[in-house]
Amino acid sequence: KHQQHLVEHSRLRDAILKQIIDDNGDVQTIAAKFLQETAHIFSLESMIYIVTKLSQTMIKPVKTKNVSKEAQDKECRKNISIGDALKAILMGSIDIEISKQISKTLLKALLKRLKSPTLDKNFLDVELCCLDLLKLSLKLHGSIIDQDQHGSSKVIIRTLTSLLSHPDINIQLQAANTFSYILPVINEKEFASTIKMLIKSTHKVA
C-alpha cells in the first residue's frame, strides 16, 4: 500500500507539473491553483522536485533567433505564469520547514538568472517576476541565508547591486526595493558595508 501511495503521488506530481508548464494559460492557472491547495499532501522531496523543475523552466534563456515575436511573447507569458505558481506555493499552507527548503532551492535558481539578466525588453517581465520571488523568499525566510552557499547574502547583495545599473528603470527600482528585505537579516559588518556601497552607487547616479 505504501509503495502504491508513492506511485500515485508521483503520478499526480508529474501531471501537475506538465500542466503548469503547458502553453495554455488557462490550464496553467488551474494547475497552479490546484497545486497551491494540495501542496500539503506532498513530501519535502516531491515539493523540491516540483520547485526545481519549475524554476529551471522559468530561468531558461528564451531563444530569440529566428523566433517570431508571437512565440517569444507566448514563452514569456508561460514563464511568468510559472513564477506565479511558485509564489502560490510559497504562500500556500505548507509546512514551515518545507517552505524554508523550497526557498533555498528557489534562491539558487533565481540568482542564476538575475546574475545574467536579459537586456531584451520583451523579457523584462520575467526578470521582474524573478525579483518578486526573491523578495518573497527573503520576506518569508530571510533567516535561511547560508553564508557559504549559493544563496549567501554576499551573492544576493552583489547581484542586486549590479541590477541597480540595469538600463530598465523598473528593474532598478525592484532591485532597490529588494534590499529592504535582506538588510534586516545580515550581520552588522555586512550591513555597514552594504549601506556604504549603496550610498556610493547613489552618488554615481547623481
Side-chain angles (χ1 to χ4, degrees):
K1 283 186 177 181
H2 178 66
Q3 188 64 33
Q4 184 181 355
H5 181 71
L6 290 176
V7 171
E8 289 174 353
H9 269 217
S10 295
R11 286 176 179 169
L12 178 60
R13 178 199 68 193
D14 293 343
I16 294 172
L17 265 176
K18 184 179 180 181
Q19 291 178 323
I20 291 179
I21 300 173
D22 193 275
D23 287 335
N24 186 302
D26 291 335
V27 171
Q28 280 186 310
T29 300
I30 294 170
K33 185 172 178 58
F34 182 75
L35 177 58
Q36 183 182 17
E37 294 176 352
T38 60
H40 64 279
I41 73 172
F42 292 105
S43 66
L44 171 60
E45 291 75 18
S46 287
M47 288 306 299
I48 288 180
Y49 179 85
I50 289 170
V51 170
T52 299
K53 289 291 184 182
L54 291 178
S55 57
Q56 284 176 348
T57 301
M58 185 181 71
I59 70 169
K60 186 169 60 177
V62 178
K63 294 178 181 179
T64 56
K65 191 175 181 180
N66 300 323
V67 178
S68 68
K69 177 68 164 58
E70 183 182 356
Q72 291 180 35
D73 289 345
K74 191 174 184 180
E75 188 69 16
C76 185
R77 287 195 299 272
K78 182 176 84 171
N79 288 343
I80 291 171
S81 293
I82 289 172
D84 290 339
L86 288 166
K87 288 177 196 174
I89 292 171
L90 280 176
M91 297 173 70
S93 56
I94 54 176
D95 180 82
I96 187 69
E97 290 305 316
I98 291 180
S99 185
K100 284 181 180 179
Q101 293 302 317
I102 286 174
S103 288
K104 279 186 179 181
T105 301
L106 198 51
L107 278 175
K108 293 177 185 179
L110 295 174
L111 290 172
K112 184 177 180 181
R113 170 76 185 231
L114 292 171
K115 280 191 284 188
S116 301
T118 183
L119 299 179
D120 192 324
K121 291 182 179 180
N122 293 327
F123 303 108
L124 290 179
D125 283 343
V126 178
E127 313 304 311
L128 290 170
C129 185
C130 286
L131 280 166
D132 268 342
L133 277 165
L134 176 60
K135 187 166 59 177
L136 181 60
S137 293
L138 292 171
K139 180 181 178 181
L140 295 175
H141 306 299
S143 60
I144 64 167
I145 294 173
D146 187 333
Q147 300 296 321
D148 301 314
Q149 299 300 322
H150 298 293
S152 72
S153 54
K154 288 182 180 178
V155 176
I156 296 173
I157 290 169
R158 203 158 49 234
T159 302
L160 291 176
T161 302
S162 69
L163 291 174
L164 293 176
S165 302
H166 194 282
D168 184 80
I169 186 63
N170 292 313
I171 298 289
Q172 293 177 30
L173 291 172
Q174 189 73 294
N177 184 256
T178 306
F179 269 106
S180 64
Y181 292 91
I182 191 170
L183 289 176
V185 297
I186 58 178
N187 61 48
E188 190 174 333
K189 184 178 179 181
E190 263 192 318
F191 181 89
S193 64
T194 302
I195 293 299
K196 286 181 181 178
M197 176 274 300
L198 288 173
I199 292 173
K200 188 176 180 180
S201 296
T202 303
H203 287 165
K204 281 184 180 178
V205 173

